[in-house]
């Protein structure tokens, strides 16, 4: 039996749905329809039937920048996705995308972390925010987004039993070799490995999974 990914959800196809429109709604980028097609082993992505149940892997929502970068434009993005212009919320997505102190060029795709349908995590003894960030997101420097999401002071220590909001964001990994196979094997195990490699490639717009380069940044769908 196929193992369902931890955050994969079920979706029943509705009248008028296409994989493109589903991907546009779920991911913000209709061109990621192949992620859904590959996960569901669909021979023809153009043929989905009303009532058909699909598995939708969790891929961090994408936003393509169309306006010139400005403080106003950034606040509009924050308002659109999070319903607020709070500077700390804005800082979360800026840090995730490495644009807190860098210009955002038109056409750039941003990863918008989920701050509404979040997970909650109970801290155990000796855990730290950098350690959790490394485990959850693949980068200990993203501890700051956990701090911001939980209104914690910078450099906060954790106590066992403390409950944290866990912002939704795909893990970032860097390819150690020249293929995705070893990375996917480490992340997911060997169940349906070919599908997992194909889905990771599609989610990262990698056309040739065997031609990635060492240290290439890859987001891991869940």
């Amino acid at each position: 039996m196929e193992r369902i990914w931890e955050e994969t959800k079920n979706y029943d196809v509705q009248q008028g749905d296409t994989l493109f429109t589903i991907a546009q709604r779920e991911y913000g980028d209709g061109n990621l329809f192949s992620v859904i097609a590959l996960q569901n082993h669909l021979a023809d992505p153009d043929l989905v039937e009303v009532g058909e149940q699909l598995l939708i892997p969790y891929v961090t929502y994408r936003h393509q920048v169309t306006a010139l970068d400005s403080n106003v434009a950034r606040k509009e993005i924050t308002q659109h996705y999070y319903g607020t212009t709070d500077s700390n919320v804005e800082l979360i997505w800026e840090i995730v995308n490495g644009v807190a102190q860098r210009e955002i060029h038109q056409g750039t795709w941003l990863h918008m972390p989920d701050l509404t349908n979040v997970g909650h995590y109970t801290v155990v003894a000796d855990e730290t925010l950098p350690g959790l960030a490394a485990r959850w997101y693949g980068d200990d420097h993203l501890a700051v987004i956990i701090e911001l999401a939980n209104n914690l002071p910078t450099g906060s220590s954790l106590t066992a039993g403390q409950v944290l909001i866990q912002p939704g964001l795909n893990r970032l990994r860097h390819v150690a070799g020249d293929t995705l196979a070893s990375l996917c094997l480490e992340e997911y195990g060997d169940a349906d490995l070919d599908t997992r490699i194909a889905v990771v490639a599609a989610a990262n717009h990698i056309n040739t999974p065997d031609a990635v380069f060492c240290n290439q940044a890859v987001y891991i769908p869940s």
Side-chain angles (χ1 to χ4, degrees):
M1 183 175 68
E2 182 179 10
R3 175 184 167 199
I4 298 177
W5 299 3
E6 182 180 355
E7 295 187 53
T8 299
K9 70 178 183 181
N10 294 316
Y11 176 76
D12 294 325
V13 176
Q14 307 296 310
Q15 186 70 41
D17 276 342
T18 65
L19 288 190
F20 185 93
T21 61
I22 295 171
Q24 183 67 43
R25 184 172 62 248
E26 294 289 335
Y27 305 143
D29 181 1
N31 290 316
L32 290 177
F33 72 89
S34 55
V35 171
I36 303 170
L38 289 163
Q39 173 60 38
N40 290 276
H41 304 286
L42 299 178
D44 187 345
D46 293 325
L47 294 178
V48 290
E49 299 181 358
V50 174
E52 182 177 358
Q53 190 171 83
L54 300 175
L55 297 176
I56 311 294
Y58 174 69
V59 174
T60 306
Y61 200 87
R62 309 291 172 82
H63 169 78
Q64 188 172 33
V65 176
T66 57
L68 290 173
D69 192 18
S70 67
N71 289 334
V72 170
R74 294 188 182 214
K75 289 191 179 301
E76 287 177 349
I77 292 173
T78 308
Q79 177 67 45
H80 177 74
Y81 287 102
Y82 305 114
T84 180
T85 56
D86 187 298
S87 58
N88 282 338
V89 175
E90 181 177 315
L91 188 57
I92 290 175
W93 66 258
E94 289 177 330
I95 290 170
V96 165
N97 291 281
V99 295
Q101 297 180 326
R102 184 167 60 84
E103 181 182 0
I104 307 174
H105 298 288
Q106 287 177 290
T108 297
W109 284 96
L110 301 174
H111 292 73
M112 307 304 295
D114 191 348
L115 302 180
T116 53
N117 185 26
V118 296
H120 292 84
Y121 178 79
T122 302
V123 175
V124 300
D126 299 324
E127 286 188 314
T128 65
L129 286 172
L132 290 177
R135 190 165 82 232
W136 293 347
Y137 309 128
D139 185 350
D140 59 2
H141 293 96
L142 291 181
V144 66
I145 77 168
I146 306 173
E147 291 174 340
L148 290 167
N150 289 275
N151 296 312
L152 297 174
T154 301
S156 292
S157 298
L158 300 178
T159 56
Q162 183 175 355
V163 177
L164 297 175
I165 292 172
Q166 182 180 354
L169 178 68
N170 288 147
R171 276 170 49 78
L172 178 64
R173 289 288 306 272
H174 290 84
V175 179
D178 58 355
T179 74
L180 291 180
S182 60
L183 185 151
C184 290
L185 181 63
E186 181 181 341
E187 285 286 333
Y188 304 122
D190 59 4
D192 203 13
L193 185 60
D194 287 344
T195 297
R196 294 175 184 276
I197 294 169
V199 169
V200 171
N204 289 275
H205 299 292
I206 297 171
N207 295 325
T208 308
D210 290 336
V212 293
F213 54 86
C214 188
N215 286 326
Q216 181 173 350
V218 174
Y219 284 92
I220 306 297
S222 55

